[in-house]
């Protein structure tokens, strides 16, 4: 690749990343990763990327795991490694190993975050790392006759103490340990600590760096976005995922149900994966979101260019009736759009016939890259809600190619007589569009 092309590629990337840079400034992200990631020789690159996020004004809480490091110490002592129901049984010997492993890892991570060597990605960086006894825990206790000893679960997160450290410009590092009011130490899972922390802070994102690419669908295809109902359905399928994916997806769902806007599951093995997930439109992992309607709004005159770009391929294919820029400008108040990261990815026109208590849904388009992700259904539901607010009792569409999609959503075949007279006069017999009606 020539230098000129490389320069242009960089300029294009930088321009496309600028909306994210602005959107993320001042936001709170909780990022969790396992002990496997810390042991990986690429871990220093991840730390550099985390430092970059901090320099862009993102408020960061890091939660690390320590499972392989704990198990290594147990093996060196010849001690048993016991797991039941996904939880480690932490006896006195295991607790010693937990404290050794966690203490060592915390120091190593803090050392990397403190690195400011010349000619390195963190040259000149000055990060302040804070930690402390902000996680209050309680024992798991005896379950089904098994005493889990020093294994615990999160009781409370001192969100105010963490916020104070973040407000002072620091980066917070939490370990999978919790403390009781009586001074006991409990072994926790990093996933639970991260989830509880994200919920307590009402974080904008919970980001989990996992061992696989993300959540795969039935055909092993990566699912880039999941709504909460979709995540629930997937979790209800026994044996569909590895324990690692299941645990993180379950935690992501719980976080989004309790105030966290978005959760991300992404492959820790991809160099720069954290930046690719956050600063590109489609990312590289799976995003779980509580707000499928995010970005749905009434169109404005500034959206004309984006609308023309979205509908042009369908007009050229004869699927949509061609609309000029002037026509769109006249009709712009009738349009609703779905915007994602500055790009119009779906649109629909809504034309009410108030006296007839009817409305036409027209120019219904979802960009091919975002089909089958729920945007079309969400947009249709939005329009139906708008119709009901106007006391409209039925909506209709005219289509040549997508009748099955509308039929699956409650539309039934209609005739010309189902159209208001004013709309009937405009019917194009040459296109021979099929009419579908839905009663609200």
């Amino acid at each position: 690749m020539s230098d000129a092309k490389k320069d242009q590629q960089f300029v294009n990337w930088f321009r496309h990343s600028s909306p994210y840079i602005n959107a993320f400034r001042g936001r709170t992200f909780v990022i969790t990763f396992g002990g496997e990631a810390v042991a990986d020789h690429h871990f220093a690159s991840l730390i550099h990327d985390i430092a970059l996020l901090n320099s862009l004004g993102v408020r960061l809480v890091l939660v690390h795991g320590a499972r392989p490091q704990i198990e290594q110490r147990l093996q060196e002592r010849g001690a048993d490694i016991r797991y039941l129901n996904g939880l480690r049984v932490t006896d006195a010997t295991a607790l010693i190993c937990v404290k050794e492993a966690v203490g060592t890892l915390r120091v190593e991570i803090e050392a990397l975050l403190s690195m400011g060597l010349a000619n390195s990605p963190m040259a000149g960086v000055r990060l302040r790392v804070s930690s402390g006894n902000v996680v209050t825990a309680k024992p798991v206790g005896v379950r089904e006759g098994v005493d889990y000893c020093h294994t615990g679960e999160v009781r409370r997160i001192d969100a105010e103490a963490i916020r104070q450290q973040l407000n002072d410009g620091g980066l917070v590092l939490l370990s999978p340990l919790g403390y009781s009011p009586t001074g006991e130490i409990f072994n926790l899972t990093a996933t639970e600590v991260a989830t509880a922390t994200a919920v307590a802070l009402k974080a904008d994102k919970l980001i989990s760096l996992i061992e696989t690419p993300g959540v795969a669908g039935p055909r092993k295809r990566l699912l880039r976005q999941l709504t909460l109902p979709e995540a629930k359905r997937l979790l209800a399928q026994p044996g569909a995922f590895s324990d690692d994916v299941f645990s993180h997806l379950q935690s992501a769902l719980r976080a989004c149900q309790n105030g966290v806007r978005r959760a991300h599951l992404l492959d820790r093995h991809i160099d720069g994966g954290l930046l690719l997930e956050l600063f590109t439109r489609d990312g590289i992992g799976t995003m779980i979101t509580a707000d499928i309607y995010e970005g749905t709004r009434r169109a404005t005159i500034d959206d004309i260019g984006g609308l023309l770009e979205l509908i042009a391929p369908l007009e050229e294919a004869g699927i949509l009736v061609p609309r000029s820029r002037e026509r769109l400008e006249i009709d712009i108040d009738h349009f609703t759009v779905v915007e994602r990261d500055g790009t119009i990815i779906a649109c629909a026109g809504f034309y009410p016939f108030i006296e007839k208590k009817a409305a036409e849904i027209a120019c219904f388009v979802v960009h091919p890259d975002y089909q089958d992700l729920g945007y079309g259904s969400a947009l249709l539901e939005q329009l139906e809600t708008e119709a009901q607010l106007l006391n409209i009792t039925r909506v209709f569409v005219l289509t040549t190619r997508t009748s099955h999609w509308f039929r699956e959503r409650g539309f039934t075949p209609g005739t010309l007589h189902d159209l208001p007279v004013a709309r009937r006069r405009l019917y194009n017999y040459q296109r021979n569009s099929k009419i579908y009606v839905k009663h609200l």
Side-chain angles (χ1 to χ4, degrees), residues 29-281:
F29 295 177
V30 176
I31 302 175
T32 182
F33 45 86
E36 296 85 354
V38 183
D40 195 293
H41 65 282
H42 289 303
F43 185 63
S45 296
L46 173 61
I47 290 295
H48 296 157
D49 293 344
I50 287 170
L52 174 60
L53 289 179
N54 179 267
S55 71
L56 294 174
V58 180
R59 294 153 57 93
L60 294 171
V61 180
L62 309 182
V63 183
H64 73 86
R67 177 174 290 193
Q69 290 82 0
I70 294 169
E71 293 183 353
Q72 180 183 345
R73 284 166 171 77
L74 285 168
Q75 290 169 353
E76 290 170 353
R77 291 172 179 264
D80 291 335
I81 298 174
R82 293 183 64 203
Y83 286 96
L84 290 170
N85 300 315
L87 290 175
R88 183 190 300 280
V89 178
T90 312
D91 58 18
T93 301
L95 183 61
I96 292 172
C97 295
V98 168
K99 290 191 288 186
E100 287 179 356
V102 167
T104 301
L105 283 179
R106 180 184 290 177
V107 170
E108 290 176 356
I109 294 169
E110 288 180 352
L112 285 171
L113 287 166
S114 302
M115 186 173 66
L117 297 175
N119 301 319
S120 79
M122 292 180 66
V125 172
R126 293 293 181 267
L127 284 178
R128 285 191 291 115
V129 186
S130 304
S131 56
N133 58 341
V134 297
V135 181
T136 302
K138 60 183 180 181
V140 168
V142 179
R143 297 184 180 180
E144 299 178 1
V146 177
D147 185 354
Y148 284 83
C149 303
H150 300 283
T151 299
E153 54 191 13
V154 175
R155 182 176 181 181
R156 188 176 67 86
I157 300 292
D158 189 346
E160 188 54 40
I162 296 175
R163 285 195 191 96
Q164 184 60 55
Q165 293 167 352
L166 294 175
N167 291 342
D168 290 341
L171 180 153
V172 176
L173 176 63
L174 301 181
S175 299
L177 291 179
Y179 309 91
S180 74
T182 57
E184 295 175 279
I185 300 173
F186 292 104
N187 176 33
L188 311 174
T189 67
T191 304
E192 185 190 7
V193 173
T195 304
T197 302
V199 170
L201 294 173
K202 293 293 184 282
D204 297 279
K205 290 183 183 292
L206 169 63
I207 302 171
S208 301
L209 300 172
I210 64 175
E211 298 300 307
T212 61
V215 180
R219 290 178 288 179
K220 307 301 181 185
R221 178 185 174 191
L222 179 65
L223 301 174
R224 299 213 174 259
Q225 182 169 325
L226 293 172
T227 63
L228 300 192
E230 289 167 342
K232 284 181 185 177
R233 284 196 295 272
L234 288 172
L235 287 168
Q237 299 173 10
F241 309 108
S242 66
D243 291 343
D244 181 54
V245 172
F246 184 89
S247 171
H248 282 99
L249 181 58
Q250 195 173 49
S251 296
L253 176 62
R254 185 162 61 250
C256 290
Q257 287 173 324
N258 289 278
V260 177
R261 289 189 60 209
R262 290 180 172 181
H264 301 253
L265 275 59
L266 55 143
D267 190 346
R268 71 164 183 88
H269 299 92
I270 298 176
D271 186 25
L274 182 61
L275 301 182
L276 289 169
E277 177 70 9
L278 294 174
F279 294 100
T280 61
R281 186 196 303 171

Side-chain angles (χ1 to χ4, degrees), residues 321-395:
V321 176
R323 287 172 173 80
S324 65
R325 175 179 287 270
E326 292 73 23
R327 184 72 260 170
L328 276 176
E329 289 177 355
I330 293 170
D331 287 354
I332 195 64
D333 291 338
H334 291 283
F335 274 78
T336 297
V337 298
V338 180
E339 180 186 36
R340 184 175 180 192
D341 304 327
T343 300
I344 304 299
I345 63 168
C347 73
F350 182 79
Y351 297 85
F353 297 83
I354 299 297
E355 293 181 358
K356 301 299 181 180
K357 293 187 176 182
E360 180 181 8
I361 295 174
C363 196
F364 196 102
V365 181
V366 178
H367 191 282
D369 290 349
Y370 296 92
Q371 291 172 5
D372 300 322
L373 293 176
Y375 285 102
S377 296
L379 180 55
L380 178 60
E381 189 172 332
Q382 176 88 358
L383 297 176
E384 290 175 358
T385 300
E386 183 177 343
Q388 290 170 327
L389 291 173
L390 293 173
N391 200 30
I392 286 171
T393 58
R394 61 190 174 97
V395 292

